[in-house]
Amino acid sequence: MTRAELPCGEVKQHLEDKVAAINQQIAILETLKAELQGLLSGWLECPPPHLIDQTICPNIQAVE
């Protein structure tokens, strides 16, 4: 096998594609993390009775 036949370029491209996919997953997880932190920041340990009567969990369910 000569140096020109080595698959280094293909291997490098595969690794770069994998890194890009991982970066995309990280971005998605960061967005989810921010949304969950937003929910937690407004968490009510003892919601008012009118919210309890209208929902299962006032912290995660919108009142209509």
Side-chain angles (χ1 to χ4, degrees), residues 31-43 59:
T31 299
L32 176 59
K33 178 183 172 183
E35 290 172 359
L36 294 175
Q37 286 175 324
L39 280 174
L40 288 172
S41 71
W43 200 263
N59 289 298

Side-chain angles (χ1 to χ4, degrees), residues 10-62:
E10 291 176 30
V11 171
K12 180 182 179 191
Q13 184 62 53
H14 177 72
L15 293 175
E16 288 172 343
D17 292 346
K18 195 63 158 172
V19 168
I22 290 169
N23 283 334
Q24 184 177 17
Q25 289 174 330
I26 289 170
I28 290 167
L29 289 172
E30 289 289 344
T31 299
L32 176 59
K33 178 183 172 183
E35 290 172 359
L36 294 175
Q37 286 175 324
L39 280 174
L40 288 172
S41 71
W43 200 263
L44 301 172
E45 290 298 326
C46 297
H50 74 282
L51 291 179
I52 294 172
D53 293 340
Q54 297 175 18
T55 63
I56 296 170
C57 180
N59 289 298
I60 59 173
Q61 190 172 5

